[in-house]
Amino acid sequence: MSADDQPTGGQKPYMRNKSISCYLCFLLNSHFLTEAGIHVFILGCVSVGLPKTEANWKDVISDLKYIESLIQSIHIDATLYTDSDFHPSCKVTAMNCFLLELRVILHEYSNERLSETVRNVIFLANSSLSSNKNITEYGCKECEELEEKDIKEFLQSFIRIVQMFINTS
């Protein structure tokens, strides 16, 4: 397991330390003290602070696995609408249902580590889904039409759909 595969455990991967990148940006751009060089420097520094999106789905999986380990120590008996046999043409609709059900966990359980990790999953998944927001998928089940399953099955199905997003990106 590499360092990138470690569960973030509720930490915000989009808020990682950026100081090394800023210093590198400054060093690279210090030779270009022209007006264009200053613009490149400013844009470089701004881009360092932007959320990273290329690995968001892998971070979502890490956080979901962390949630799986947390629920073993926390008594959670939730049943959640779970799309366990989603069709690839309905993946955005299914993902939105999973995210809605995560909000149920936020409202029903007050464990701080769990809540922080769930909020992080919601943030990362929504930022990764932002390019798919205007996609309309037809013939997909509504969230309430899905079968209710226990949280362990819910998380396993959630991980499978995230892997589908990784494989098609």
Side-chain angles (χ1 to χ4, degrees):
M1 186 178 266
S2 71
D4 291 335
D5 294 334
Q6 294 296 321
T8 58
Q11 296 178 7
K12 298 171 179 67
Y14 56 91
M15 301 287 283
R16 292 186 179 122
N17 189 348
K18 306 292 188 205
S19 61
I20 293 173
S21 300
C22 281
Y23 289 125
L24 180 60
C25 181
F26 177 72
L27 180 67
L28 291 173
N29 289 307
S30 64
H31 294 26
F32 305 105
L33 293 178
T34 64
E35 186 176 338
I38 292 170
H39 285 106
V40 169
F41 172 72
I42 291 170
L43 288 173
C45 289
V46 168
S47 69
V48 165
L50 294 175
K52 73 173 207 159
T53 57
E54 69 277 359
N56 277 357
W57 289 122
K58 290 181 182 176
D59 293 329
V60 168
I61 287 179
S62 294
D63 278 351
L64 290 172
K65 289 181 179 179
Y66 180 71
I67 292 171
E68 280 183 322
S69 69
L70 276 177
I71 64 168
Q72 291 176 358
S73 62
I74 305 169
H75 178 67
I76 296 181
D77 60 350
T79 56
L80 303 163
Y81 292 119
T82 304
D83 196 348
S84 53
D85 59 344
F86 44 83
H87 191 272
S89 65
C90 291
K91 68 180 185 179
V92 173
T93 302
M95 178 59 72
N96 286 325
C97 288
F98 280 108
L99 294 173
L100 283 172
E101 290 301 285
L102 275 184
R103 292 181 191 281
V104 170
I105 293 171
L106 271 180
H107 292 295
E108 292 186 7
Y109 299 94
S110 60
N111 180 283
E112 188 176 327
R113 291 181 299 160
L114 178 65
S115 296
E116 185 177 341
T117 308
V118 166
R119 277 192 290 277
N120 198 51
V121 168
I122 292 169
F123 175 84
L124 291 171
N126 278 325
S127 67
S128 294
L129 274 178
S130 63
S131 63
N132 295 319
K133 285 292 184 191
N134 295 328
I135 293 177
T136 304
E137 298 174 322
Y138 297 100
C140 304
K141 290 183 180 180
E142 296 292 324
C143 298
E144 295 78 20
E145 295 176 311
L146 301 172
E147 188 176 340
E148 288 188 54
K149 305 231 175 155
D150 69 44
I151 193 163
K152 289 179 184 178
E153 290 180 67
F154 170 82
L155 290 169
Q156 287 302 311
S157 291
F158 200 156
I159 289 170
R160 282 198 321 276
I161 196 165
V162 171
Q163 289 169 336
M164 182 182 290
F165 275 91
I166 290 171
N167 293 336
T168 58
S169 59

